[in-house]
Amino acid sequence: MNIEESTDRKKSANIPVHGKPRILFAQPIIPKYRSDFLRRFSEFTKLDILALCGNVRSKKHKKICNYGKIEGFAYKALWAPLLIFHVRGNIYPVYFFPTLIWHLLKFRPHVVVTEGAYMMLNNFFIILYAKFSGCLLYTSDAADELDGV
């Protein structure tokens, strides 16, 4: 489904789309490859894009951090306590953004793209927002659309 089809569906769902469709990317962190993708996506589509990511600072887990030179698209690094689970010698970080719902209500996205497992606490609020606002929701783990959750 392309963006035009998505906005047509939103109009049919009685959700007005004024101006450019708004797309929110909720990501645990923005590493270099994701920063490059979002910059190119923003340049190519000319859509209203906002990326929300965690402002994680861990002395013990230094690889869990944002790319230092994020540019070319709007983003906001949110305070995020990092929850680390150790299962059978593996590290599983789980991210939680306490101010996420406020940013969803402020930006009012038509489409939300998020990650699955690492963002499970945040996705609960994103799914509630999608349910009540009617926005389209995509997860990058399964790439399944959860439209009308």
Side-chain angles (χ1 to χ4, degrees):
M1 171 186 316
N2 63 32
I3 296 299
E4 286 96 22
E5 290 172 2
S6 296
T7 56
D8 289 343
R9 289 177 58 193
K10 300 314 289 168
K11 290 177 185 174
S12 67
N14 295 325
I15 296 173
V17 177
H18 301 291
K20 297 187 277 188
R22 292 181 298 278
I23 300 177
L24 183 127
F25 290 88
Q27 301 295 308
I29 59 173
I30 300 179
K32 182 180 183 333
Y33 72 89
R34 195 169 290 149
S35 175
D36 292 342
F37 165 78
L38 290 171
R39 180 181 44 79
R40 290 180 184 142
F41 184 77
S42 178
E43 290 169 357
F44 178 74
T45 63
K46 306 288 188 213
L47 297 172
D48 196 0
I49 294 171
L50 174 64
L52 297 179
C53 60
N55 189 11
V56 178
R57 296 170 197 250
S58 174
K59 292 179 182 177
K60 187 175 180 181
H61 304 285
K62 294 184 183 205
K63 291 185 178 181
I64 302 174
C65 63
N66 292 309
Y67 179 56
K69 298 178 184 176
I70 298 174
E71 56 188 28
F73 60 94
Y75 79 98
K76 176 92 173 149
L78 305 178
W79 176 74
L82 181 60
L83 308 172
I84 302 286
F85 295 96
H86 299 274
V87 180
R88 297 183 183 170
N90 293 319
I91 296 172
Y92 294 97
V94 176
Y95 300 83
F96 176 60
F97 306 154
T99 60
L100 174 67
I101 196 72
W102 184 82
H103 289 284
L104 285 168
L105 294 171
K106 182 179 176 185
F107 187 63
R108 295 181 298 124
H110 299 106
V111 178
V112 177
V113 178
T114 185
E115 247 181 66
Y118 297 135
M119 295 280 287
M120 64 182 140
L121 295 173
N122 295 314
N123 287 347
F124 173 74
F125 296 105
I126 292 171
I127 289 169
L128 284 176
Y129 174 82
K131 175 83 173 160
F132 292 108
S133 72
C135 82
L136 298 176
L137 173 59
Y138 295 91
T139 63
S140 59
D141 282 349
D144 291 335
E145 181 181 338
L146 299 175
D147 184 24
V149 178

